[in-house]
Every structure is written in C-alpha cells, then in structure tokens.
Amino acid sequence: SSAQLQVISGLDDTSQRISSGYNDLAAIVVRLGYANSNHMLGGLRFQGVAVPFHVKVLSANLELDRSYHQAAGAVNLTVRGVALDNAPNFQTLAPLALPTTAASSAWSVANSAPLGWTSSPDLAAIVQEVVDRPNWQANAALAFLLRSETSNSGYFDAVSYEGNPTSAARLRISYALCQAADIDCSCQVAINDVQAVAAHWGLTSADPGWNRLYDLAPNGVVDAADVIAAASAWGQTGCP
C-alpha cells in the first residue's frame, strides 16, 4: 500500500529562525540552512495521512522543489518527525515549540545537484515512530522538522505552498499492513508476539502505558482473551 501527499495549506510549511524565533509562514519559499545570521528550522506538515495504525513502513521520502541554492557547498539538514498523534499547523505551534521523534535522518543537499525536485533519504524510521504511537489514527496530520546543521554557511530555497501550490513539498510513503497478532510486524506470528501480549496482562485503557496494540480481543483490557488470540495465530505468516 502507499500514500502520496502534498502540503495543501500556507500554514503547513514554514521556516523559523532558530536564534530569533521568527516564524516566516507567509514566505514564497521554505528556506533551509543558514541565512540572515540564523540557522533555520523548516517545517512541513501533511494532512490526511491515510496510513493506519499497526503497519510496517517500508519507505518514506520527502520531495522538495528546489528553486535556488545559495550555499557554495552542500546544505546539511537533520530531519525529525513531530512526535504527536495529530500534528498541528505551524501557526498553532511554531516548529521550535514542537516535540520531536527520537528517530532522525541526515540529509545533505549538494550545490551541484540540479534545481527542481529533490528527494530525501529514506525516512521510514521517522514515520514508523509516529504511526506506532498508541493514539495514531489514519487520516491524522504528520509533520517533519528540517534543522540546519551548525556546519552550514549557506542555504537553499524550496518552493512553498504560497509560492506555487503545485510545487509545494510532497511526501511518499510505502507500507504493509500487519496481522493483528503480529505485534512486531515481522510478517510472522511467533512466540515473541505471544510473550509481548502476555507482558501487558492487566493493563486497561485508563492506565498509563496503555497501547491498543495488545488488546487483540478489544474490550479495553489486556486479558486472557488477548493471549489466547495471539497463541491461536502462532505460525501465521505474511503481511496482508
């Protein structure tokens, strides 16, 4: 399965100056790197991400339409996801105020690369961390933050929604659905999956640390019915 998305609002892409905090929501470009004596923190938000809970993310890439590369060399970025179940737009919370994923990816954009659409390295681990959140729901919003590395001395521009909606940032995600009892999404139900359910025995939906992943016979509590469901699926293979 796959999802292909694009920024669809001027409040869903921005560049924020890390030192001054200025959040440039209205710009016709998303400026990334070092500019105006500030390292920049870019934000890209995608609405309606139709990726369900409990999937194996196979690949994920951002695509930016680079319109200008000022830096004499490469612009180096660290990409992280916003660690929220449904990321708000950047007017509600500016990039610097948002919590980030533990997973990250380095993205180096060379000045020799042709202008136009430029694809990021694989961001599957970042997307996986977000959609694994216990309260993630399909069609929520997912956002990325692109932070300038301190080694940067220049920047590049990518077209924003305000600059041209058809050239706004894109996101492509490829994923496989996992069987309910395949807790670790390995495409095979094994003893470790049964043990994972059993390890959460007694947790209820009101408890800290609750995760519906382990409630295989959904009733708001991890109990014998869930362990039996996992054991009954033992040996099943495949990611449907």
Side-chain angles (χ1 to χ4, degrees):
S1 300
S2 63
Q4 300 182 27
L5 303 114
Q6 190 163 27
V7 167
I8 58 171
S9 167
L11 301 182
D12 287 346
D13 56 12
T14 192
S15 299
Q16 186 172 20
R17 300 179 186 180
I18 292 174
S19 295
S20 71
Y22 178 70
N23 186 21
D24 198 357
L25 278 167
I28 62 172
V29 296
V30 176
R31 183 155 289 176
L32 298 168
Y34 180 79
N36 301 312
S37 301
N38 272 262
H39 288 283
M40 310 298 290
L41 180 62
L44 303 171
R45 175 178 180 260
F46 300 90
Q47 302 181 38
V49 179
V51 176
F53 180 71
H54 195 41
V55 300
K56 185 181 184 70
V57 179
L58 305 175
S59 65
N61 299 91
L62 288 170
E63 296 177 352
L64 301 178
D65 189 359
R66 285 169 56 246
S67 58
Y68 178 61
H69 196 111
Q70 177 270 345
V75 173
N76 299 306
L77 307 170
T78 298
V79 184
R80 294 184 186 271
V82 171
L84 292 172
D85 303 324
N86 188 21
N89 66 50
F90 299 119
Q91 183 178 64
T92 301
L93 280 179
L96 284 170
L98 290 164
T100 60
T101 57
S104 66
S105 179
W107 186 2
S108 182
V109 181
N111 67 339
S112 58
L115 295 178
W117 288 102
T118 302
S119 184
S120 74
D122 188 20
L123 307 178
I126 297 172
V127 175
Q128 188 75 66
E129 184 176 335
V130 176
V131 302
D132 279 350
R133 294 177 60 83
N135 293 317
W136 169 264
Q137 299 284 350
N139 298 313
L142 191 157
F144 296 86
L145 302 179
L146 296 81
R147 179 180 284 265
S148 171
E149 290 292 319
T150 57
S151 60
N152 288 325
S153 58
Y155 65 87
F156 71 84
D157 290 334
V159 180
S160 70
Y161 180 85
E162 290 87 349
N164 183 349
T166 63
S167 290
R170 298 172 180 169
L171 172 63
R172 300 182 188 273
I173 302 172
S174 176
Y175 64 93
L177 299 171
C178 301
Q179 298 182 67
D182 184 11
I183 301 299
D184 63 0
C185 277
S186 65
C187 300
Q188 179 174 6
V189 181
I191 183 61
N192 58 296
D193 299 304
V194 180
Q195 292 171 333
V197 175
H200 291 80
W201 184 294
L203 276 181
T204 73
S205 57
D207 292 331
W210 167 258
N211 191 327
R212 71 186 192 271
L213 178 65
Y214 306 103
D215 190 15
L216 300 181
N219 63 354
V221 60
V222 181
D223 54 19
D226 303 305
V227 177
I228 291 169
S232 298
W234 191 337
Q236 293 181 8
T237 60
C239 289

